[in-house]
Amino acid sequence: MDFEFTDKSKELQKRVRDFMDQHIYPIEDEYNTYVEENLWKEYPGMEALKEKARSQGLWNLFLPKDYGDLSPGLTNLEYAPLAQEMGKVPWASEVFNCSAPDTGNMEVLSKYGNAEQQAEWLTPLQEGKIRSAFLMTEPRVASSDATNIETSIVRDGDEYVINGRKWWSSGVMHPRCNVYIVMGKTDPGAQRHEQQSMVIVPADTPGVKVLRPLSVFGTFDPPHGHCEVDLKDVRVPVSNLLLGEGRGFEIAQGRLGPGRIHHCMRLIGMATRALELMCQRSAEREAFGRLIKDFSSVRQEIAISRCEIEQARLLTLSAADKIDQHGIKGAKDLIAMIKIVAPKMVCDVTDRAIQIHGGMGVCSDTPLAGFYAGARTLRLADGPDEVHMYQLGRNTVKQVLAARAESV
Ligand SMILES: Cc1cc2nc3c(=O)[nH]c(=O)nc-3n(C[C@H](O)[C@H](O)[C@H](O)COP(=O)(O)OP(=O)(O)OC[C@H]3O[C@@H](n4cnc5c(N)ncnc54)[C@H](O)[C@@H]3O)c2cc1C
């Protein structure tokens, strides 16, 4: 396997790194303070940053197709190191129009949306004019098993009527979040994986009520937030259905493949930055007559962190390459592997970085506490670790038995 990056990817890596150095790191603290103080308001400099990134061709880098000035059309392997750079600052991806949940929603609309749906919702998303949310998880049922979803989508003439309660709907509080993709059941009597459908719901549709933003380890993750949302007799035209009735599960599978791997790419960047901070801090501070970096236990923490990051990085690249070569289905085991490995690895690396920073590590003077919270939630979001292990374990046994049967 050759993970040498193409010239196109190398050149973009340099440009993203330069952009981060010139425009993102210098305002990182200012941004964080603004959104903490103003919660659901967009940072006033965000639009100018987006414009700058777009004018430099650093826009929609995750989109696999070449959309002219809207995307350079990179493979997943070419995109991976760019997402890694962006991941070093949790909000930076938005500047390049590469942030979740918009990336996943854009992929859904471009893969499964029709021309009208794309003109109305995909184009403004690709242009970064609006933002979006994905409403699948529900408070009343174990949503790691998506077949449990209870929200009802009932056809009434030319409209669908939606009733249900969602939570952990990321992005809903963002002032530009204009559209939701909602998963529910159109036919509870159908086969287990054919009961679900997905519909497009404009955020201002009557009957949509945002009940509350949920806190994550005590903060609200502004300005996008994660919300509990009530859907009461919400009516949308039947033309808002994506792909077809009963095909929601299929869309969910297609959506989560690249989405999961994008998260993992950003996580590798986060861990890399935690390691950099760990090295810098330990080289500056002295205890018991020597620099902290010179304690053997600290060197071990740094060394093991580097090993774990590199292991996860190579696994992520392998998954990205497999998607490029064999599609999401062919890469499903590697996608599961990296989703199991990357968030846990970042939790471990960040935990060590926090420890080496002493008290400073848990406050907001460094990004480490935020990294830890973000990585910890990703052991749940997009499917808890156990669900991926459950499926990967099942596939592994099947494959081993099939290989044995073939060799006999
Ligand atoms: C910060 C954050 C953002 C999120 N954003 C979104 C979003 O934008 N849209 C959205 O729809 N959802 C979102 N989610 C929800 C997330 O995807 C769900 O929380 C996740 O799928 C788990 O569902 P649940 O919370 O209902 O847990 P449950 O299904 O109740 O599961 C609870 C626990 O049971 C155990 N478990 C479940 N299945 C198995 C198994 N097969 N084997 C062993 N143990 C098992 C696991 O420990 C699991 O964590 C987000 C969550 C968080 C925390």
Side-chain angles (χ1 to χ4, degrees), residues 100-101 105 132-146 148-149 166-172 181 183 214-216 221 225-227 255-256 263 373-374 376-391:
N105 291 339
S132 59
F134 182 69
L135 279 58
M136 184 167 92
T137 304
E138 300 181 358
R140 295 186 189 121
V141 292
S143 304
S144 50
D145 175 358
N148 281 344
I149 298 302
K166 298 288 183 183
W167 77 344
W168 291 110
S169 309
S170 298
V172 161
I181 294 178
M183 181 155 164
L214 301 161
S215 73
V216 179
D221 232 347
H226 313 276
C227 297
R255 181 186 188 279
L256 290 177
H263 275 314
R376 186 63 187 84
T377 61
L378 280 170
R379 292 191 56 203
L380 297 163
D382 283 359
D385 291 357
E386 295 89 341
V387 173
H388 295 292
M389 289 196 252
Y390 180 69
Q391 287 162 354

Side-chain angles (χ1 to χ4, degrees), residues 20 79 83 86-87 89-100 266:
M20 297 282 294
Y79 175 58
M86 296 173 205
V89 176
W91 51 267
S93 310
E94 186 183 351
V95 172
F96 306 96
N97 215 35
C98 289
S99 55
R266 288 189 285 266

